[in-house]
């Protein structure tokens, strides 16, 4: 069984920062691409950024603001650093991970972590 655990969400004032982490665990033979998606109130889930196992990064076309995706392969963890946050950054942030294991290749989603930007 594969479990995806996101952390780092919370309430932050405009101009503040959040650092999200994604830590897959369980049956993992190979950890491939890792990505962050977000779903704002009343909107569909959209890509924020994805990073491959070799470190190549692609940001979503709709991404606004100052953010950086990274990963630590030794820890099997991906991060999303968001700085200078604005209220429009309020969303549930989801981690998506591509994994090879004994049942084959598959995408796995976390339950999400809420990031709220408000004064």
């Amino acid at each position: 069984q594969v479990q995806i655990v996101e952390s780092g969400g919370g309430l932050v004032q405009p101009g503040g920062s959040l650092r999200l982490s994604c830590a897959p665990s369980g049956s993992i033979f190979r950890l491939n691409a890792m990505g962050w998606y977000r779903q704002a109130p009343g909107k569909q889930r959209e890509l924020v950024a994805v990073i491959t196992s070799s470190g190549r990064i692609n940001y979503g076309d709709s991404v606004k603001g100052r953010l950086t995706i990274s990963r630590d392969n030794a820890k099997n963890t991906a991060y999303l650093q968001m700085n200078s946050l604005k209220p429009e950054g309020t969303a549930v942030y989801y981690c998506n991970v591509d994994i090879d294991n004994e049942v084959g290749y598959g995408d796995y989603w976390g339950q999400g972590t809420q990031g709220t930007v408000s004064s």
Side-chain angles (χ1 to χ4, degrees), residues 34-113:
M34 308 179 73
W36 288 98
Y37 294 72
R38 68 185 178 191
Q39 187 168 15
K43 297 183 178 180
Q44 293 183 325
R45 189 175 302 185
E46 63 183 3
L47 172 68
V48 177
V50 62
I51 184 168
T52 69
S53 60
S54 63
R56 294 184 182 271
I57 296 171
N58 181 48
Y59 292 99
D61 291 339
S62 63
V63 168
K64 298 287 187 180
R66 187 168 180 262
L67 59 88
T68 302
I69 188 172
S70 62
R71 66 189 288 166
D72 186 338
N73 289 332
K75 298 180 179 180
N76 286 342
T77 302
Y79 305 93
L80 183 67
Q81 180 71 43
M82 300 186 289
N83 299 324
S84 301
L85 283 164
K86 298 181 181 298
E88 54 262 37
T90 296
V92 179
Y93 289 81
Y94 298 90
C95 181
N96 175 259
V97 180
D98 298 334
I99 292 174
D100 292 322
N101 59 23
E102 67 269 22
V103 300
Y105 174 87
D107 288 339
Y108 296 86
W109 290 89
Q111 293 189 2
T113 183

Side-chain angles (χ1 to χ4, degrees), residues 3-24:
Q3 183 179 12
I4 309 297
V5 179
E6 302 111 328
S7 63
L11 176 64
V12 64
Q13 293 184 341
S17 299
L18 287 172
R19 184 173 181 265
L20 311 181
S21 63
C22 173

